[in-house]
Amino acid sequence: MKANTDHWMGLPKNLLWGYIAIFLFMTGDGFELAFLSKYIVEIGFSPAQATFAFTVYGLCAALAAWASGVIAEVITPQKAMKIGFLMWVVFHVLFMIFGLTQKNYYFILLFYGIRGLAYPLFLYSFIVVIVHNVREELVGSACGWFWAAYSLGIGVIGSYLPSLIIVHIGELNVLWFSLVWVCAGGMLAMVSLKNIKTSTHLLDLSTREKFSEMSHAVTLLVSNKNIALASVVRIINTLSLYGFAIIMPLLFVGDLGFTMPDWLQIWAIFFFSTIVFNVFWGIMSQKWGMLRLIRWYGCIGCAVFSLSFYYLPVYFGDNFWIAALGATLLGASTAAFVPMTALFPALEPEHKGAAISVCNLSAGLSNFFAPAIATLLLPFVGVKGVVFAYSALYILAFLLTLYIQFTQKEFGPMTRSTARSVS
């Protein structure tokens, strides 16, 4: 039974400091996102090597994301977040000292990859806190605020702040500065969530029973067709987010004449757009229906605006505000996928932790596939070809949503046949 929490526009007041902790942590985690690939190239490695480093990172993040939901329920979300926080700090330091500073590619892959295991444990365990402390009808909007905090951290402050200081202190010092933010978020989470109650029914299980519960995070992909389809849609959801952060600096800065601070500010605008629309779409999903929102505003929107994000600066040149318009439109459509987080546990109410783990696995796989697609296609079709590949996959996601069966109180059964009548 979930607590009847007070809320403000869907924001649970008793979890406010947890949301702030997510913002602080992801700000530090996001410092590197929009410039690290180019920096790895600048210190002597090829673009393919740079994107492969992100691919390894994404694979590790996917594995941690897959396990995070059930681990959080088995050992409590607070303990899972603490493990993720400590791992991030330790392996970031090792990545900096032995990888980037020494320009050792193998240590870059090793320590950056292991660090990729850390942030999903911290980030996604908080979703378990939300699910167990927010009334079911408010989970969608609470998750909207979660992704708003995530975007404000990793995208807006995490991109804009480096754009102001990177020319003064350099890339390496910016990455060291990220530790301050991560430590602030990690410690705030440990203090603010200490007394927050979550379900304890899994804590008394035997070791064998706990592993059996964790196995549901795998078997759901086979036993629940709707979960499997939603998983593919969730993977496609953030392809542009993770992919464009890697390939677009090569276009904007390398070919079109934008400065690195210009690019970082444009990327920050993209994330600022997702913040506003994360909250908006989270609230609207309760009125319009989750699948309808994902299908039309998410899938079709991203298919169109991924292309516009590429073509607007290519056509108009290094015009900051035109590029910012493209970033705003893409951010708005990317945010329309925000109901996905609430959709997974609703599709499997008997194993919500496992369903969240599948959602998190899908998010992590997106972090893997986005740079993997870029790594494979970039040498042959360039940035333009990669953008078209992402756009085509959003069309595929649109088609898959037609086959997801889901009942939402306001709209009744959402099947392939009824979807056409309400969409």
Side-chain angles (χ1 to χ4, degrees):
M1 184 72 179
K2 299 179 182 63
N4 188 359
T5 58
D6 291 331
H7 65 93
W8 178 78
M9 293 182 64
L11 173 66
K13 292 181 180 180
N14 66 329
L15 300 180
L16 175 62
W17 289 108
Y19 282 93
I20 295 173
I22 293 295
F23 154 69
L24 293 171
F25 187 97
M26 294 313 300
T27 294
D29 188 74
F31 270 22
E32 73 208 29
L33 186 61
F35 73 82
L36 183 58
S37 63
K38 192 171 186 302
Y39 180 68
I40 292 175
V41 172
E42 289 176 351
I43 63 176
F45 302 103
S46 69
Q49 286 177 307
T51 56
F52 183 69
F54 279 84
T55 302
V56 172
Y57 176 88
L59 179 60
C60 292
L63 293 174
W66 161 68
S68 61
V70 177
I71 288 176
E73 288 207 321
V74 168
I75 68 173
T76 75
Q78 291 90 336
K79 289 182 180 178
M81 294 177 76
K82 182 177 181 180
I83 292 171
F85 164 48
L86 295 177
M87 281 184 63
W88 198 102
V89 171
V90 170
F91 287 100
H92 182 72
V93 171
L94 294 174
F95 168 63
M96 293 293 298
I97 294 175
F98 296 105
L100 292 181
T101 302
Q102 299 296 324
K103 300 180 182 179
N104 187 310
Y105 186 66
Y106 297 105
F107 280 142
I108 288 175
L109 293 180
L110 176 64
F111 294 126
Y112 192 52
I114 296 176
R115 207 200 79 186
L117 297 170
Y119 94 83
L121 276 177
F122 185 89
L123 178 68
Y124 297 128
S125 294
F126 187 66
I127 295 178
V128 177
V129 176
I130 292 173
V131 169
H132 285 293
N133 286 273
V134 177
R135 299 197 307 274
E136 185 173 354
E137 66 270 20
L138 295 175
V139 170
S141 54
C143 288
W145 282 103
F146 168 82
W147 289 113
Y150 167 88
S151 297
L152 179 62
I154 196 173
V156 178
I157 307 301
S159 291
Y160 187 73
L161 184 56
S163 77
L164 299 178
I165 63 177
I166 196 169
V167 294
H168 301 292
I169 66 175
E171 288 87 349
L172 283 178
N173 286 326
V174 169
L175 292 171
W176 281 118
F177 185 42
S178 67
L179 268 174
V180 176
W181 291 81
V182 168
C183 289
M187 289 186 289
L188 178 60
M190 298 307 98
V191 174
S192 64
L193 299 177
K194 184 178 181 179
N195 297 319
I196 294 294
K197 295 181 179 180
T198 55
S199 174
T200 59
H201 75 283
L202 297 182
L203 298 180
D204 298 327
L205 297 180
S206 66
T207 300
R208 182 177 179 180
E209 289 171 328
K210 288 179 179 179
F211 276 106
S212 175
E213 182 65 23
M214 290 184 69
S215 72
H216 285 300
V218 177
T219 58
L220 282 183
L221 288 169
V222 178
S223 62
N224 190 322
K225 181 197 75 172
N226 295 315
I227 289 283
L229 292 173
S231 175
V232 178
V233 175
R234 180 62 186 88
I235 291 171
I236 295 171
N237 169 191
T238 44
L239 286 180
S240 60
L241 187 156
Y242 294 118
F244 283 0
I246 298 169
I247 64 173
M248 286 307 189
L250 305 177
L251 174 71
F252 278 68
V253 181
D255 297 334
L256 299 180
F258 289 85
T259 66
M260 180 58 76
D262 283 341
W263 157 248
L264 291 173
Q265 290 174 27
I266 290 167
W267 196 236
I269 289 171
F270 163 82
F271 271 101
F272 182 78
S273 174
T274 68
I275 292 172
V276 176
F277 283 94
N278 274 332
V279 176
F280 176 73
W281 294 134
I283 295 171
M284 288 300 102
S285 68
Q286 298 166 206
K287 302 178 182 295
W288 297 347
M290 289 191 280
L291 275 178
R292 173 191 286 179
L293 192 65
I294 292 165
R295 180 180 301 128
W296 292 106
Y297 294 94
C299 299
I300 297 300
C302 281
V304 173
F305 295 128
S306 291
L307 296 177
S308 68
F309 189 58
Y310 171 83
Y311 275 108
L312 284 174
V314 166
Y315 183 79
F316 290 99
D318 59 341
N319 185 312
F320 180 87
W321 294 110
I322 292 294
L325 173 62
T328 301
L329 295 173
L330 180 61
S333 57
T334 301
F337 284 94
V338 72
M340 293 295 302
T341 310
L343 180 64
F344 276 83
L347 291 173
E348 187 61 42
E350 297 301 316
H351 299 284
K352 291 185 177 182
I356 292 170
S357 281
V358 175
C359 180
N360 298 342
L361 168 65
S362 306
L365 286 175
S366 184
N367 201 348
F368 165 73
F369 279 114
I373 291 169
T375 300
L376 291 174
L377 297 183
L378 203 56
F380 304 102
V381 296
V383 172
K384 179 180 178 180
V386 176
V387 172
F388 269 90
Y390 291 158
S391 182
L393 286 169
Y394 283 115
I395 298 298
L396 172 63
F398 168 82
L399 296 175
L400 293 178
T401 62
L402 299 176
Y403 293 88
I404 297 175
Q405 297 177 324
F406 172 64
T407 300
Q408 190 165 342
K409 291 180 182 179
E410 292 85 354
F411 293 92
M414 292 289 290
T415 64
R416 186 186 177 192
S417 59
T418 62
R420 295 189 181 90
S421 64
V422 300
S423 301

